[in-house]
């Protein structure tokens, strides 16, 4: 087994747990500007139907009203945001919180707010990365301790991602957070100017604690490819994601584009409990070998195939074959599974229908008795339902940055992405050993072992790395750059953007 160094995303002081980091600086990526001005119109293809932490993680939406306890810089280091420093040990994380921060409803940001948010996220469908926090203890108004169920060397990485935005406790309590986000960010939600499901408008928050931003107002809209292309060229839309087939339309126009690796998609088997459609390991393995990820890359003109979730050189990568397309192997494994006649249901969004439908067509062609019905849903409804267990399997995106987070989100017996609630003893023991090894070379190798078990058991496969294409009108906005946070699709460095014209 080849060892791979664990991503050392925590500063040395945090890793050693000996002292707090200093934290007087403002949030990373903030623009040096005087007075904000202008309206930034942004399209990510949809507008969220649920703004509650743990229910929506697409950073292009979350990072407008919300902020996280920590952030990332361009070097990949975890740096202060709403927490100014932290001390990490095998049993706890103690956070020093930024003073003078208020939520958009005027409520103070403090230790009680952190406790309320972490507990709410843990109870949410996407709260897996935070389930390793056993309890939250308020030490003082601006000091909070997260008691860990087991050593978690990646806890600050998890707290820097869009899985853990800080929302007003008052809005969490009364449930209004679902429709109206209330965070601490530079832009506050404007309910009167917004149209639920169609447009979300945010204006600068006068009492924002950090440095000024460039734009006074941000409008998030949901447009299809044709409408977005036309609006970008005309200058009535400033920033959008784009598909490869849209690029030719931007020739001889003021629209500029850039790409960055932003997302990883995988096939997940949800109905794999006793009596479930995908209870058989051999059947799952057959399905995995039946899928040809290269075919969707060729169809869409973008994307990279992978046989495992983590890339070579990062924590969690293992030396093993995974599941390359092999129709002969698929048929053999299907026979070993008893050649069952079965049908399954899954959903796709308008964004990934081609990918999901092609995969299921490939499975039906290789495995004669397997049929899967694909239902298309709008992106917001798809994001809220594809991985809840309502459907037997699904193809979707994961934002997990570490093997601990990926395991805790999808494969542990109590993981929110494991509605069947089943976990092999082999996987449980391997993950427990890796977790208890803390931060060490031994832990790196142990996590690789656990990820290999997930692959051997065919709990997930058909891995695909996708690049985000950002498009913007160069006559209306400048200082465009991809987000500093890794693996965040549908996002941009909002704080650096400045208006033109």
């Amino acid at each position: 087994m080849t060892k791979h160094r664990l991503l050392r995303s925590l500063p040395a002081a945090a890793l050693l747990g000996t002292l707090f980091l200093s934290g007087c600086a403002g949030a990373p990526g903030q623009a040096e500007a005087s007075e904000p001005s202008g309206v930034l119109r942004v399209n990510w293809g949809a507008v969220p139907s649920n703004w509650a932490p743990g229910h929506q993680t697409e950073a292009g939406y979350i990072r407008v009203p919300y902020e996280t306890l920590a952030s990332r810089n361009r070097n990949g280091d975890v740096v202060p945001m709403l927490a100014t420093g932290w001390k990490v040990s095998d049993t706890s994380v103690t956070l020093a919180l930024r003073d003078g921060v208020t939520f958009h409803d005027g409520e103070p940001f403090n230790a009680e707010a952190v406790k309320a948010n972490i507990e709410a996220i843990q109870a949410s469908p996407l709260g897996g990365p935070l389930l390793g926090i056993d309890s939250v203890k308020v030490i003082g108004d601006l000091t909070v301790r997260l008691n860990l169920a087991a050593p978690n060397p990646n806890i600050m990485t998890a707290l820097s991602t869009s899985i853990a935005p800080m929302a007003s406790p008052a809005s969490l309590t009364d449930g209004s957070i679902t429709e109206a986000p209330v965070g601490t960010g530079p832009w506050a939600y404007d309910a009167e100017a917004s149209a639920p499901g169609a447009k979300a408008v945010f204006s600068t928050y006068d009492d924002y604690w950090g440095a000024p931003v460039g734009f006074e107002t941000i409008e998030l809209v949901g447009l299809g490819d044709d409408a977005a292309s036309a609006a970008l060229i005309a200058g009535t839309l400033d920033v959008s994601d784009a598909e490869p087939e849209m690029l030719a339309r931007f020739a001889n126009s003021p629209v500029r584009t850039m790409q960055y690796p932003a997302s990883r998609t995988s096939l997940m088997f949800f109905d794999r409990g006793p009596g479930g459609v995908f209870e058989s390991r051999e059947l799952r393995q057959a399905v995995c070998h039946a899928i040809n990820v290269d075919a969707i890359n060729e169809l869409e003109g973008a994307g990279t195939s992978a046989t495992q979730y983590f890339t070579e050189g990062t924590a969690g990568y293992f030396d093993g074959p995974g599941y390359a397309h092999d129709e002969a192997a698929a048929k053999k494994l299907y026979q070993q599974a008893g050649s069952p006649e079965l049908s399954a249901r899954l959903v796709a969004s308008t964004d990934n229908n081609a990918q999901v439908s092609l995969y299921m067509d490939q499975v039906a062609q290789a495995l004669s008795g397997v049929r899967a019905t694909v239902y298309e849903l709008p992106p917001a409804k798809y994001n809220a339902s594809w991985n809840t267990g309502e459907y037997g399997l699904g193809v979707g995106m994961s934002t997990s940055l570490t093997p601990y987070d990926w395991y805790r989100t999808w494969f542990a017996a109590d993981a929110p992405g494991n509605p069947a609630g089943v976990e092999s003893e082999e996987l449980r023991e391997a993950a427990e050993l890796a977790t208890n090894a803390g931060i060490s070379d031994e832990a790196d190798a142990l996590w690789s072992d656990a990820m290999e078990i997930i692959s051997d058991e065919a709990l997930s496969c058909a891995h695909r790395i996708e690049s985000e294409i950002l498009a913007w009108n160069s006559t209306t906005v400048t200082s465009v750059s991809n987000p500093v946070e890794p693996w965040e699709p549908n996002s941009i460095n909002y704080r650096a953007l400045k208006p033109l014209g």
Side-chain angles (χ1 to χ4, degrees), residues 44-107:
W44 301 125
V47 176
S49 58
N50 189 339
W51 289 93
H55 292 264
Q56 169 61 247
T57 63
E58 296 227 15
Y61 309 115
I62 290 297
R63 294 199 184 275
V64 177
Y66 293 121
E67 292 176 314
T68 47
L69 291 166
S71 186
R72 303 290 284 271
N73 62 22
R74 288 287 177 192
N75 295 324
D77 300 319
V78 178
V79 294
M81 176 66 90
L82 291 177
T84 59
W86 46 83
K87 184 167 59 177
V88 179
S89 73
D90 284 349
T91 58
S92 67
V93 180
T94 303
L95 299 164
L97 305 180
R98 192 175 297 278
D99 194 10
V101 178
T102 60
F103 291 99
H104 301 149
D105 58 5
E107 293 292 314

Side-chain angles (χ1 to χ4, degrees), residues 64-423:
V64 177
Y66 293 121
E67 292 176 314
T68 47
L69 291 166
S71 186
R72 303 290 284 271
N73 62 22
R74 288 287 177 192
N75 295 324
D77 300 319
V78 178
V79 294
M81 176 66 90
L82 291 177
T84 59
W86 46 83
K87 184 167 59 177
V88 179
S89 73
D90 284 349
T91 58
S92 67
V93 180
T94 303
L95 299 164
L97 305 180
R98 192 175 297 278
D99 194 10
V101 178
T102 60
F103 291 99
H104 301 149
D105 58 5
E107 293 292 314
F109 168 75
N110 53 26
E112 291 286 356
V114 174
K115 175 179 171 66
N117 274 276
I118 288 179
E119 290 176 350
I121 294 167
Q122 287 179 315
S124 74
L126 300 175
L130 303 189
L131 291 180
I133 299 173
D134 191 54
S135 63
V136 182
K137 175 71 172 178
V138 173
I139 304 300
D141 192 48
L142 295 176
T143 307
V144 62
R145 186 175 68 232
L146 314 181
N147 296 311
L148 305 178
N152 183 352
N154 306 301
I155 184 63
M156 292 309 303
T157 297
L159 294 175
S160 74
T161 69
S162 55
I163 190 63
M166 294 290 106
S168 166
S171 64
L172 289 172
T173 299
D174 65 21
S176 61
I177 195 70
T178 298
E179 297 180 355
V182 184
T184 62
W187 298 279
Y189 184 66
D190 185 337
E192 292 186 1
S194 300
K199 180 174 68 172
V201 180
F202 301 84
S203 299
T204 47
Y205 178 49
D206 291 339
D207 292 329
Y208 180 58
W209 63 269
V213 291
F215 278 92
E216 181 177 14
T217 301
I218 295 180
E219 292 185 359
L220 301 177
V221 298
L223 300 176
D225 293 348
D226 291 339
S229 297
L232 278 169
I233 294 170
T236 56
L237 182 67
D238 301 302
V239 176
S240 179
D241 61 340
E243 299 299 325
E245 60 269 20
M246 297 168 62
L247 300 183
R249 306 175 195 177
F250 300 145
N252 303 315
S253 82
V255 178
R256 302 292 180 262
T257 62
M258 66 177 294
Q259 295 188 41
Y260 68 95
S263 63
R264 294 175 281 196
T265 62
S266 306
L267 175 69
M268 298 285 186
F269 296 95
F270 301 122
D271 188 13
R272 60 178 190 266
V277 173
F278 297 105
E279 178 184 8
S280 166
R281 177 192 298 213
E282 289 78 10
L283 176 60
R284 298 193 301 267
Q285 291 172 333
V287 170
C288 289
H289 276 305
I291 293 175
N292 182 2
V293 180
D294 286 335
I296 191 64
N297 295 335
E298 294 172 4
L299 179 66
E300 297 192 350
T304 303
S305 303
T307 58
Q308 55 181 287
Y309 181 80
F310 293 99
T311 56
E312 187 171 3
T314 64
Y317 180 83
F318 59 88
D319 294 328
Y323 295 94
H325 177 233
D326 187 336
E327 193 166 321
K331 292 180 182 297
K332 182 178 180 180
L333 285 161
Y334 181 55
Q335 290 177 345
Q336 292 175 2
S339 303
E341 296 279 337
L342 58 91
S343 61
R345 301 163 61 248
L346 71 164
V347 289
S349 73
T350 51
D351 295 331
N352 72 352
N353 195 345
Q355 179 183 6
V356 176
S357 297
L358 178 59
Y359 287 176
M360 294 305 102
D361 287 345
Q362 292 170 344
V363 171
Q365 179 177 337
L367 313 178
S368 58
V370 178
R371 293 290 179 269
T373 303
V374 179
Y375 301 90
E376 182 176 313
L377 297 175
K381 291 185 177 180
Y382 163 80
N383 289 333
S385 63
W386 79 273
N387 57 0
T388 60
E390 180 180 354
Y391 304 97
L393 72 170
V395 178
M397 181 186 70
S398 174
T399 58
S400 300
L401 297 180
T402 68
Y404 176 91
D405 291 343
W406 204 51
Y407 164 75
R408 289 297 315 170
T409 300
W410 299 102
F411 309 112
D414 60 348
N418 181 6
V422 294
E423 178 183 8

Side-chain angles (χ1 to χ4, degrees), residues 486-498:
W487 299 106
E488 290 201 347
N490 286 357
S491 189
I492 197 168
N493 189 359
Y494 289 106
R495 296 166 186 260
L497 300 179
K498 299 177 182 178

